[in-house]
Amino acid sequence: MELILAKIAVSIGTVLGLSMLAERAGPRVAGVLSGYPLGTAILLYFIAIEQGVAFASESAVYALPGLIATLTFLYAYFIVSRQCVRLPVFPQILLSSLGAFVTYLSVSWLFQLAPMSLTQAAVILLVAIVVALILFRKIENVRILNRVRLTKRVVLLRASLAAIIVLVISGMAAWIGPRWAGLLSGFPVTLYPMMLILHFTYGAEPVHTVIRNFPRGMGALWVYILAVTLGYPVLGLGLGSLCAFGAATVYLVGYTTFVWVRQKSVQAAQ
């Protein structure tokens, strides 16, 4: 029971934080920061607690292709929601989610069929990130202009949605073996609830902006998973997770600094 409560508390806090960030800083920033290893870290950490460090290390290898499945999940959500723009918002969300889940599970099923080394998985994910950056760059960036006030009802909806998704995904990952557990740990546990909230509240366009910018922050996930795979067997769960978060943070800070400096240079040249 304590472990279940811990999963709920950590995931709810993360989802609510991302949702508020999207409203205040804009979905573009939230999309980049969604690449930070939040949902994946939560699942791999609890998998390690429940199944052991060796199980989690093996699962982490398949978390890399699991992130490729996540990219296809996001792209499918974008494609379907764009085609359903004339429908009311609830059918939009339902059909977009259905298309995204079918795509995600299909891609995950293909990856779990073949054994994969850490090097192979890391290289394939890097290629997928480059492809996603090319595909997603045509999506328009928009800002949320009129924020909805954070009433108790809105907060309760977000918290309940996050809790349900986290319990379902982590519960499945605990008993289906390291390959599927790793693939499912790549599921956007914290990003997807935020997408649903934004879509229901503001429409599809801010969600598309989040999707566009998600691959830009995925390097942090790539670094984190590599660090977990190599660090858990040597450093253990606590220190291994801490070092992996440190490596991911260094990447994300470096990336955002690079983007900021480049933007300033472009503005100065104009």
Side-chain angles (χ1 to χ4, degrees):
M1 177 59 73
E2 291 182 359
L3 188 59
I4 293 176
L5 293 177
K7 292 179 184 179
I8 294 173
V10 171
S11 303
I12 286 175
T14 303
V15 171
L16 295 183
L18 275 176
S19 299
M20 289 185 286
L21 178 63
E23 292 177 341
R24 286 160 175 75
R28 181 176 181 176
V29 175
V32 174
L33 292 181
S34 293
Y36 196 69
L38 298 172
T40 301
I42 292 170
L43 285 172
L44 287 177
Y45 184 84
F46 285 116
I47 286 172
I49 290 177
E50 294 175 323
Q51 305 295 323
V53 169
F55 187 100
S57 298
E58 185 178 354
S59 296
V61 173
Y62 280 85
L64 291 165
L67 293 175
I68 300 176
T70 291
L71 289 172
T72 63
F73 175 95
L74 296 177
Y75 195 61
Y77 194 101
F78 164 70
I79 293 297
V80 176
S81 61
R82 187 177 61 176
Q83 298 299 318
C84 298
V85 68
R86 297 182 182 275
L87 297 177
V89 65
F90 185 76
Q92 281 186 38
I93 293 174
L94 184 62
L95 291 174
S96 301
S97 297
L98 179 61
F101 273 105
V102 169
T103 304
Y104 177 85
L105 291 174
S106 298
V107 173
S108 297
W109 180 79
L110 289 174
F111 276 120
Q112 64 86 31
L113 292 176
M116 189 173 298
S117 69
L118 177 61
T119 301
Q120 291 171 330
V123 171
I124 292 172
L125 178 56
L126 283 179
V127 173
I129 291 174
V130 173
V131 173
L133 287 171
I134 295 172
L135 285 176
F136 293 4
R137 67 181 179 180
K138 297 180 180 179
I139 303 174
E140 183 182 359
N141 280 317
V142 300
R143 292 189 63 86
I144 297 172
L145 299 178
N146 299 311
R147 296 200 304 266
V148 173
R149 188 168 62 90
L150 289 175
T151 63
K152 292 182 179 180
R153 181 177 297 179
V154 173
V155 173
L156 179 61
L157 173 63
R158 294 177 179 180
S160 301
L161 186 60
I164 292 170
I165 292 177
V166 168
L167 288 177
V168 169
I169 297 296
S170 62
M172 290 175 60
W175 55 268
I176 54 180
R179 288 190 184 182
W180 269 110
L183 289 164
L184 289 179
S185 72
F187 182 81
V189 171
T190 56
L191 175 62
Y192 178 59
M194 184 186 72
M195 289 168 54
L196 296 183
I197 293 163
L198 290 176
H199 198 157
F200 183 78
T201 308
Y202 304 107
E205 289 79 11
V207 179
H208 296 170
T209 298
V210 171
I211 291 172
R212 169 193 165 96
N213 291 281
F214 179 77
R216 301 171 186 268
M218 281 191 71
L221 274 165
W222 187 82
V223 169
Y224 181 88
I225 293 173
L226 285 179
V228 163
T229 306
L230 299 173
Y232 270 7
V234 178
L235 302 174
L237 178 57
L239 186 56
S241 297
L242 184 62
C243 291
F245 267 116
T249 302
V250 168
Y251 166 84
L252 199 57
V253 170
Y255 173 80
T256 53
T257 301
F258 169 77
V259 172
W260 181 80
V261 170
R262 187 178 63 177
Q263 289 176 344
K264 289 295 183 181
S265 299
V266 171
Q267 293 173 358
Q270 293 177 347

